[in-house]
Amino acid sequence: MSDEQMPDQAYDILIVGGGPAGLTAGLYAARASLKTLLIEGATSVSQITATDMIENYPGLSGGISGFELVERFKKQASQFGLEIISGDVTSIKRKRLGNIDGWEVTAGNNTYDTFAVIVATGTNWRKLGVPGEDDFAGRGVSYCATCDGPLYRNKEVVVIGGGEAAVQEALFLANFARKVTIVHRRDRLRAAGILQRRALAESKLDFAWNSVVEEISGKESVAGVKIRDVKSSGTLRDIPAEGVFIFIGMTPNTALIRGIADLDKNGYIVADSQMKTSADGIFACGDCTAKLLRQVITACGDGATAAFSAQLYVEALKGKSY
């Protein structure tokens, strides 16, 4: 395709999502002198911005907050010319650009043409689905200790889950709450060893092992949770609490791409080692993809790979392959 036939308004690469994966992709694409637009959610934010402390990102000894790290990513990518706007993307569909197939991305009342799309939409916290959870959302039920922890100073709270996020957030809550009870369906934690040791050594933390939550109760706000012992005869007991923090895993934000590219049985985007999806010109990276480990560093690696893969794809479309 000649330069004269190329639509001037079309982006080389459009990135959906403003977390570590998307911003790294934006950095690499912009640095490669590709016309690149990143659309970050207007009504949602990257989950990492709600993380109080990241201490396993290489080179940042002493730790850094998720919000600060993302701001650093934005500043660096912008210095290379990445265009960043805010908006909720509602559709991605095929569109003919000149004499080749491209994509049209809609966000709000605006549409954007692009030759390649990188999906980096991340995940949302999974809900328990028990009585009282939706009723008390914002009135005692939370999915973000960093956001709401200071509201529970000298109060008793419950954390549901036993993985990395649950234990990390429970330790953060111990800075404010009088008592933090971790409710976990197994008899041991699933978090990294160093977090487990910290949790077991923290005097403010208590543990309800082999237990699941059956109900979150209260009147105007949360007053406690009812839990069931999964090992015994199903014994029920109540734990008083003014706050309930839920960290039981994630749900991928992939409805946008459903029917366009293949998803696995859990709704994650299937991408190969080059971050290519089953749809030509659609790449995916970060937590929204089917993968073993969801961490900032793996998201960044995915983003870099997706950008380079998309670069090669766009250059081939334009007949400019090296």
Side-chain angles (χ1 to χ4, degrees), residues 282-305:
I282 299 286
F283 304 82
C285 56
D287 287 2
C288 64
T289 63
K291 56 191 293 186
L292 176 63
L293 182 64
R294 293 182 173 84
Q295 294 281 287
V296 176
I297 191 167
T298 60
C300 291
D302 289 351
T305 301

Side-chain angles (χ1 to χ4, degrees), residues 36 38 40 71 79 95 111 199 203 210 230 239 272 305 309:
T36 307
L38 184 149
E40 59 180 358
E71 288 302 304
Q79 288 173 345
K95 181 178 181 180
T111 59
S203 61
N210 301 312
V230 298
I239 300 177
D272 65 14
T305 301
S309 191

Side-chain angles (χ1 to χ4, degrees), residues 207-282:
F207 299 88
W209 303 113
N210 301 312
S211 299
V212 295
V213 173
E214 293 288 301
E215 181 183 1
I216 300 171
S217 59
K219 293 183 179 179
E220 297 301 317
S221 60
V222 168
V225 299
K226 185 182 296 294
I227 65 171
R228 174 173 57 84
D229 190 314
V230 298
K231 284 284 185 136
S232 68
S233 57
T235 305
L236 297 172
R237 70 181 177 99
D238 294 314
I239 300 177
E242 294 179 70
V244 177
F245 292 82
I246 302 171
F247 305 104
I248 57 168
M250 313 300 291
T251 300
N253 297 321
T254 54
L256 185 67
I257 206 73
R258 187 177 296 276
I260 299 174
D262 291 343
L263 308 179
D264 71 5
K265 64 180 181 180
N266 295 313
Y268 289 94
I269 301 171
V270 177
D272 65 14
S273 61
Q274 298 179 40
M275 300 295 113
K276 294 179 180 179
T277 71
S278 60
D280 287 342
I282 299 286

Side-chain angles (χ1 to χ4, degrees), residues 181-197:
T181 301
I182 294 180
V183 178
H184 187 39
R185 63 169 54 247
R186 302 188 186 280
D187 59 0
R188 66 183 188 277
L189 299 172
R190 191 165 43 86
I194 189 170
L195 290 177
Q196 292 191 40
R197 291 191 292 273

